[in-house]
Amino acid sequence: MTAVAPLTSPAEGGLGASARRAWRTLRASRAGTVGAVLVALVVLVALLAPLLAPYGQTEVHFDTPFQRPATVGFALGTDDLGRDILSRIIYGIRASLQVGILSVLLAIAVGTPLGLLAGYFPKLDAVVSRLNDVVLAFPYLIIAVGLAAIGGASLTNAAIALGIAQVPTMLRVVRAETLRIRERDYVLSALAMDASPWHILLQHVLPNCVSVIIVQATIIMPTAIIGEALLSFLGLGIQPPSASLGIMLSDAQQYIFRAPTAAVFPGVAIVVICLAFNLLGDTLRDALDPSTSA
């Protein structure tokens, strides 16, 4: 009697196909290309901040406050303490990416397992989904501000607060994808072969959730960056004298009419970073969304 081989998950080798599809979509999409290039530049600036910044992030020049942009030695001018705005923006971009990456990793680490369990086990779903709905009833930034206030003001605590606040969204996305995948033929075949639930989750469901997790991460990233700027603006994030785009906006509001560019340039930096990740995320969603994929 010939043995019948069980159906295997298309994720075996399918991740490479998804990557190739995403690459083709990025190349074909002008918005996606712009987003990918901007993200690459932002990451490069963050990595090379000590080399690119003309001055240190806390270096002051008391004899040259409120210098205008294009002043010799200060391309974007200086603030009230004579600190170079360009240098502080470069270091602020690095801080924003640090907080964004940490919060995204935390959201993935917590939200993905909970989403898998809720999507695969109906009894757990009844509990986890209801608790998740309760958390989602509160605005994202309210949760982040509350957690940051409890934990104390620091870069790490800001990242933890923003990451925890994003867990419900990641959980909901992974749960929905798990519900879809568990009805696929290869999962039903594994069940017929008496595979354990944990084997199915790890070998079949999780690999096929990778694409939606990546897309959701690119969506969470700009939200976390804006959240970091807000927390720092309120004094609950990165603390002076360290550079942060939110701190720069908070300081600049005191002399907005005397030196408006001190607020404009950090604001533009936040917009560019968030726009870059949004453009990249939208393109990846179009490329990797299973409902539109061939």
Side-chain angles (χ1 to χ4, degrees), residues 7-9 181 186-187 190 199-208:
L7 290 176
T8 57
S9 167
I181 292 172
Y186 50 84
V187 174
H199 174 84
I200 293 173
L201 282 174
L202 295 177
Q203 297 297 323
H204 299 288
V205 179
L206 179 58
N208 284 284

Side-chain angles (χ1 to χ4, degrees), residues 86-128:
L86 174 60
S87 298
R88 287 180 64 78
I89 287 177
I90 291 174
Y91 279 101
I93 291 174
R94 169 186 258 191
S96 294
L97 285 189
Q98 287 177 331
V99 172
I101 292 172
L102 289 175
S103 62
V104 167
L105 292 177
L106 178 58
I108 292 174
V110 178
T112 298
L114 290 176
L116 290 171
L117 294 174
Y120 193 81
F121 299 104
K123 292 183 179 179
L124 281 177
D125 187 24
V127 177
V128 174

Side-chain angles (χ1 to χ4, degrees), residues 147-159 231-232 234-240:
L147 292 174
I150 294 172
S154 69
L155 184 150
T156 301
N157 287 339
L231 293 178
S232 296
L234 297 175
L236 297 173
I238 300 169
Q239 294 298 291

Side-chain angles (χ1 to χ4, degrees), residues 66-72 74-78 85 259-262 265:
F66 297 118
Q67 293 296 305
R68 295 184 177 182
T71 301
V72 176
F74 304 103
L76 299 183
T78 60
I85 292 177
T261 54
F265 291 132

Side-chain angles (χ1 to χ4, degrees), residues 191-247:
L191 283 172
M193 299 295 293
D194 202 25
S196 69
W198 303 111
H199 174 84
I200 293 173
L201 282 174
L202 295 177
Q203 297 297 323
H204 299 288
V205 179
L206 179 58
N208 284 284
C209 287
V210 170
S211 59
V212 297
I213 292 172
I214 293 174
V215 172
Q216 188 62 27
T218 61
I219 296 173
I220 290 177
M221 191 71 176
T223 307
I225 289 171
I226 294 176
E228 182 277 321
L230 173 65
L231 293 178
S232 296
F233 185 89
L234 297 175
L236 297 173
I238 300 169
Q239 294 298 291
S242 298
S244 163
L245 299 177
I247 291 176

Side-chain angles (χ1 to χ4, degrees), residues 134-153:
V134 171
V135 178
L136 285 172
F138 295 91
Y140 158 73
L141 290 176
I142 297 298
I143 297 176
V145 169
L147 292 174
I150 294 172

